[in-house]
Amino acid sequence: MPPREGIYGLLAEFNTPGELVHATELAHRAGYRRMECYTPYPVEEAAVALRFHKNRVPLVCLLGGVLGVTTAFLMETWIAVWSYPLNIAGRPLFSWPAFIIPAYEWTILFAGLSAAFGMVALNGLPQLYHPVFNAPNFRTGATTDKFFLCLEAADPRFSPGETRAFLEQFKPVSVVEVEH
Amino acid sequence: MATKTPLQDPMIDPRTGEYAVIAPGHNFKSVTQKIAGIVLTSNTPLGWFGGLTVAGGVATLLLVALTWLFLKGVGIWGVTIPGAWGFAIINFVWWIGIGHAGTLISAILLLFKQTWRNSINRFAEAMTIFAVVCAGLFPLIHVGRPWVSYWLFPYPNTMNVWPQFRSPLAWDVFAVSTYATISVVFWYVGMIPDFGTLRDRATMPLAKYFYGLLSLGWRGSTRHWIRYETASLLLAGLSTPLVLSVHTVISFDFAVAAMAGWHTTIFPPYFVAGAVYSGFAMVLTLAIPIRKFYHLEDLITLRHLDNMAKVMLATGSIVGYGYCMEVFMSWYSASHWEFFMMWNRMFGPMGWAYWVLILTNLAIPLTTLWSRKLRVNVLYLFILSFIVNTGMWFERFVIVVTSLYRDYLPSSWGTYRATKWDYMTFVGTWGLFTFLFLLFVRFLPMIPMSEIRMMLPQTKVRPPGGSDAETVIEETV
Amino acid sequence: MDAQYKLENADVILSLDADFLGGIAQPGFLPLAAAYAARHRYEEGQTMNRMYAVETMPTVTGFKAEHRLALKPSDLAAFASALAAGGAGSGSAEAQGFAAAVLKDLKAAGGKCVVIPGEQAPASVHAAAYALNAAMGAVGKTVVYTETVNPLPSEQVADLKSLVGDMNAGKVQWLVMMGVNPLYSAPVDLEFAAAMAKVPTTVHLGTHVDETGSLSTWHINKAHYLESWSDARAYDGTISIIQPMIAPMYGGHSAHEVLQTLLDNPEASAYDVVVANAKTYIKGDFATSWRKALHDGWVEGTAFAPSSASPKSGAAPAAAAASSGGIEICFKPDPSLYDGRYANVGWLQELPKQVTNLSWDNAALMSLATAEALGVEQSDAVEIKVNGRTISAGTLVVPGHADGAVTVHLGLGRRVEAGRVGGGVGFNAYYLRTADAPYAAGGTVTRTGDIYDLCVTKVNFIEHRGSFAQQDLNDKEFDKDGTYSLPGHEAMERAIIRYATLEEVKAHPDFAHEGGPGALVNKVGYGPEGDTPGHAESMFPDAWSYDHQDVSAQQLQNKWGMAIDLNSCVGCNACIVSCYAENNIPVIGREQVKIGRNMQWIRIDTYFEGDLHAPRAHFQPMACQHCENAGCEQVCPVGATVHTPEGLNMMVYNRCVGTRYCSNNCVYKVRRFNFLLYSDYDTESLKFMRNPDVTVRSRGVMEKCSYCVQRIEAVKIEADKENRAIRDGEIVTACQQACPTSAITFGNVNDPNSAVSKVKAKERDYQVLADLNFRPRTTYTAGVINPNPELA
């Protein structure tokens, strides 16, 4: 992919979550869609302001769980009934009460791994580089005590001057351009 | 520490009389600095080096004991016929049990929205993982032929042989490996945002690189946070049945067997409760020195200690109920096997172990933890945590040894005497555990910064001036 | 003269210190045990015999007896003499009552009775026995006297004394000792070592450079009897040719070769000598008869005919005077090692001795009362002093030992010259044994204050007291104030041992399915009609059936099972040793046995019932029961133990990871684990010893009785090759083969005509721990005893 030219977007820095949510909400009402909030802890109100609803993690987790239980149970059944059937203590070959237990464990294992790695994958991580890291104040604040709103240049509504003015009205700590 | 009256003590909420979960006066930056500072400091405290050296030395005992074990065989331990299981299995169950508190704190208390768990869940989860490491050693080394322990796992092979799934030990393989994996994953996922913080705050290039890799590029994006919260809740929701099932499956090692004193349905809940009991005792053993040494009393407050003591009281009572039920059932069942087993457990040659157990597990904790004064007495809780863990070790000792050494055929009654290698292996795992824990304390954020931030009053989203109408968020768009 | 006993004709047997069921030092032990057991079976159409035993040290014979009296040696001799005189003597009230009942019973038997004196009993006891046998009319019926097997009978102690006298006087220039070890076992007062030092040339022919060989001028390597030609007489006089099985491994020489060399005939081989001798007693065509003798193993018609002469009944020598106030020290050959010649055999050292279950040791064996009187407890070290010589020993309390006496076993305490295994084990009781008191002597026993930890294989009876076991003893058999064994009590309570008297079994033939006396065990695994719980009653239907039709053979498949008759088992330990031989079982040594790790696949469980001052003991061979619902199979995580279609519980050594869960879940605790590398891979000669059909197990692997699967498979292969069915009795397990009393029966349970099916069909057949529903394939026939109603 050729390196992008120009700026990625404009980044506004706030001191409190309330300011961020207010700004985000108004930005959405103003028509901006390509935007993202960056906070040091989850702020649900910001997600609501972004109208972000599509969370596929539960589905991935469910699929993982179903895969886990069927894999384990079928594996045990195949092993005990067809692959190498043995008379163990006079028990039936298809000892399903006993098979339930490892199947239960693998349900949880697969579901948990799916949830965790699904979440990471759906988040696009690992993504060690992101343009927003280039912003001067970002690193020192986003993961500590500052709240950021980034309006991306790819948004049709974006124009450097107007968007900057729009953001300045909220009296942020800073508004900076983010290089790619 | 000097007790202050409720009115004087800023840590006590005047309305409820309870200790605060987090000391007043913190903000996002101060919390971050306090926790990240421990990890990113360039001046490692001498005490840490001292602790690491001692722990390393004790862990070396484990290395020596294991080497001798692999050279000679399981016979260097005290196991024999009929007592074919001894310290190794007792230690295995003991360590796994300890681990359960971490998962309970991370997962179950999260589901119950008990935010006080936020400051302790990270190192409790770390405790779980290191406890599972110590526990997981034992099934691998206690077998007669450890070089083929991998046969317990179902892997495709040319011989077409597989594990035998009706055996509780085969279930153990699945349960413990799942538990270890999910615990590590849960623990790691929980640390991703904090790795981001450490990456951003680190000054040394090696630290930046190390935490940068671990953070996967975390930038605090809200969309990421939402998926992250979902995943956390899901993992918590999965870890809850997991922690209940893991110790249940461990208890099946005994409950599914035919021995009197093992073959009982009370074991799954009794074991799980006991596991949480001993786990919380270990959390106290770790939390109390850490908060003192690293000056974290305002993040791990007396409220935490009080709550943990309450959990111990509750689970200890369940354990006590379990003991009473065993005694009752051994009489009520009119089964000679049960009756003899219980009589022998209490009054036989190994009866001393049973009474030590009752003293340390029931008599001391369950009479004193009712007192609020004692529940917030740091020194008492520290001592009690050792007493409870001793009691829980004796519980497994009583279960394993007394049921085996005098069972069905009197001609095969025997005894069990642990050898110095048994003790050395056990003590060595304490060293291993402490060593790993000290490494964790130094290099990883032991308190989740993002979760602590969520508890501060500054998180309340207030409209910045103006009327509320302006900031009503339209849901319809 | 020699006495031969025909126990198949005896209704009443009195043993005067005769351990004829024990196997050691009793000539003709095998037929005696077989005959006794055959008459002791409770069967249609035969009268059960009854045995009385009078002895000092408890033996298996004494415990098989219906009635037992424990007397110290001097009292025993007096008792025997009084009995022979027809009176009750002057012993205790109990002894007098016993004597009266015995006399009455012997007389009522009408000649079908026998009195057997022990081989180590003094001459007065032998005289008394001969007199009684003659008086009761037993001679010719249950006992016959023949010429003696010893071709040069003499008074051996006097001979030895005169030899030593000559040696001391310098009259002996050459002393050739063949196959003996006098420096170890000669009476200590003869001072053989000092005498030997005066002989210029001493020659020792022995299998080991033992105590004697190491101090002799010359030691010659003796070939083992299995490497040599020789001949011998059995106890009844029958001649047997000893044939070599293997060329001498270490270049040994037989006694024949040495003797011929001394006779200036060095070219004569042992074979030549034996053949030359054979020509004197083999009748008919020599070549054919010689071949036949080699094939059969004995020479027809060489048994001694009964002699009409009877032993001279002169004045009986006076019994040894009772030591005043001291303890009578009783010398007995070790039940496993005999006189010490087998001290270097690991199997025998490790074998738990009969009754005491002591191994790798000997001890000062005494009764509870004696121990209390001496102020000693189990495992205290004591000093035994006889005639100014002292040795120290550990104390082992043996229930039923006579009071006022201490038994020590000869054969241990050998020096390092005995060999790698035998050296330094136990103490040397020969040191106390003098020529004039070879069987018992007066002495003192004092506590030293040290501890001597003995090596006892199974739970020692000492695990007895407990208020629990005291509380439910309302059975009149138990003396509430006495001392008794908790394991023994529990064995009865749990219906592990089931037995009844003759009266009881006639009244309740199904007693074995009703549970033990006062049993609390629910249902003992049997239904109200005495039948095993129907498989159909279970919530879990049977998943496997062992009654498939074998299409090619047109019959039901094989279904292996075993039945053990508790009446016939005499506790002699032969089955254990045969199992060692057959299955390459490792010898693990003293320290390991002490911890409890012995590797015996079959063991004889000994339970003491009743007051330990005069208990009854029960012997129960216990090996893998091959349960259909085996507890061990279910819990093995790698499937190393599985069930074959014919019903064997198989142990797959190379799959075993060694978790030992199977041992924990075995309620019979018959599984043995190789905690360390017990098998000796290094010693070359042991490679010859091992059975090539059986795996040699390495470290970390579980093992157990396999119903001798290698023998089963060998027979199956042969039958298959010959295109025929397996005949009943063709498969013989090692333990079954060695058992002198045929207590063990093995075979096909699906064949209603097989011996094992018939034994299992008896009403007295029961499973041990039946209520646990493991469905063992090995069942036991409950014991029946025939007590004298007057002595009950």
Side-chain angles (χ1 to χ4, degrees), chain A residues 13-163:
Chain A
E13 182 183 346
F14 299 98
N15 270 328
T16 68
E19 290 167 5
L20 171 68
V21 171
H22 179 69
T24 310
E25 174 62 27
L26 292 181
H28 193 272
R29 289 191 203 164
Y32 290 95
R33 293 291 175 267
R34 302 261 336 224
M35 57 178 168
E36 180 63 273
C37 298
Y38 297 93
T39 56
Y41 62 89
V43 180
E44 277 100 17
E45 295 86 347
V48 173
L50 287 172
R51 311 293 191 269
F52 173 66
H53 305 295
K54 276 192 235 143
N55 188 352
R56 292 238 157 72
V57 175
L59 178 66
V60 171
C61 180
L62 175 68
L63 290 177
V66 169
L67 184 69
V69 68
T70 43
T71 307
F73 205 82
L74 285 180
M75 174 185 76
E76 290 174 292
T77 305
W78 174 76
I79 286 173
V81 177
W82 288 293
S83 173
Y84 201 152
L86 290 167
N87 177 346
I88 303 283
R91 305 293 194 267
L93 286 176
F94 182 55
S95 299
W96 61 266
F99 296 167
I100 285 177
I101 292 158
Y104 175 92
E105 300 296 339
W106 271 19
T107 311
I108 298 180
L109 177 70
F110 280 43
L113 291 179
S114 306
F117 294 113
M119 176 271 289
V120 168
L122 285 170
N123 281 347
L125 297 176
Q127 187 183 10
L128 296 183
Y129 173 76
H130 189 272
V132 89
F133 284 124
N134 292 330
N137 283 350
F138 187 79
R139 285 179 182 274
T140 53
T143 53
T144 308
D145 60 346
K146 296 283 187 277
F147 303 82
F148 293 84
L149 172 63
C150 179
L151 300 178
E152 293 168 37
D155 191 296
R157 284 285 194 157
F158 185 85
S159 98
E162 281 177 29
T163 312

Side-chain angles (χ1 to χ4, degrees), chain B residues 69-86 88 139 142-149 151-152 155 157 159 161-171 252-259 262 333-337 339-340 343 349 404-415, chain C residues 457-459 463-469 471-472 486-488 490-491 493-494 496 520-522 592 595-598 603 605-607 620 622 633-639 653-661 663-669 671-678 699-702 768-769 771-772 774:
Chain B
L69 176 72
F70 291 142
L71 283 177
K72 282 282 155 180
V74 154
I76 64 171
W77 290 347
V79 283
T80 173
I81 307 286
W85 279 358
H142 100 286
V143 294
R145 300 203 293 166
W147 53 92
V148 288
S149 306
W151 286 349
L152 283 142
Y155 70 98
N157 57 79
M159 302 180 288
V161 284
W162 304 95
Q164 195 271 112
F165 293 107
R166 296 163 200 86
S167 162
L169 290 183
W171 304 340
F252 283 159
D253 285 350
F254 307 108
V256 166
M259 295 293 115
W262 282 16
S333 64
S335 160
H336 180 75
W337 312 116
F339 188 71
F340 181 83
W343 170 83
L404 283 180
Y405 88 112
R406 274 190 176 184
D407 66 326
Y408 289 95
L409 276 194
S411 65
S412 50
W413 289 356
T415 186
Chain C
T457 54
K458 280 169 281 298
V459 67
E463 295 212 22
H464 54 87
R465 291 225 92 128
S467 53
F468 159 76
Q471 89 206 17
D472 59 1
L486 184 60
E490 284 301 309
E493 192 82 350
R494 300 172 185 194
I496 291 166
L520 298 177
V521 180
N522 299 333
Q592 292 295 306
I595 305 176
R597 294 177 178 165
N598 60 4
R603 58 175 195 256
D605 291 342
T606 308
Y607 296 111
Q620 184 176 51
M622 180 62 66
E633 292 173 9
Q634 190 206 344
V635 295
C636 174
V638 291
Y653 304 124
N654 47 2
R655 179 67 174 164
C656 177
V657 178
T659 62
R660 308 182 296 287
Y661 201 171
S663 162
N664 289 341
N665 216 30
C666 174
V667 294
Y668 306 99
K669 286 291 178 288
R671 289 176 150 264
R672 305 286 124 196
F673 189 68
N674 288 277
F675 286 97
L676 301 168
L677 181 61
Y678 289 141
R699 174 186 130 194
V701 163
M702 190 67 82
V768 172
L769 303 175
D771 57 315
L772 299 178
F774 285 107

Side-chain angles (χ1 to χ4, degrees), chain C residues 55-85:
Chain C
E55 58 185 9
T56 310
M57 161 75 195
T59 61
V60 293
T61 313
F63 280 133
K64 283 309 279 188
E66 273 78 0
H67 302 284
R68 187 178 167 272
L69 183 65
L71 294 176
K72 60 188 187 191
S74 56
D75 289 347
L76 200 151
F79 178 89
S81 304
L83 204 63

Side-chain angles (χ1 to χ4, degrees), chain B residues 240-261:
Chain B
T240 304
L242 178 66
V243 73
L244 295 175
S245 72
V246 168
H247 225 61
T248 299
V249 170
I250 304 277
S251 80
F252 283 159
D253 285 350
F254 307 108
V256 166
M259 295 293 115

Side-chain angles (χ1 to χ4, degrees), chain C residues 330-374:
Chain C
C330 199
F331 301 102
K332 283 276 190 282
D334 189 272
S336 304
L337 305 179
Y338 189 33
D339 60 354
R341 63 185 65 185
Y342 298 126
N344 204 38
V345 178
W347 293 349
L348 294 177
Q349 286 277 18
E350 193 138 300
L351 193 63
K353 298 189 209 301
Q354 297 156 358
V355 173
T356 56
N357 289 329
L358 187 60
S359 76
W360 291 102
D361 250 325
N362 55 352
L365 305 165
M366 62 183 80
S367 70
L368 265 177
T370 315
E372 269 165 52
L374 292 172

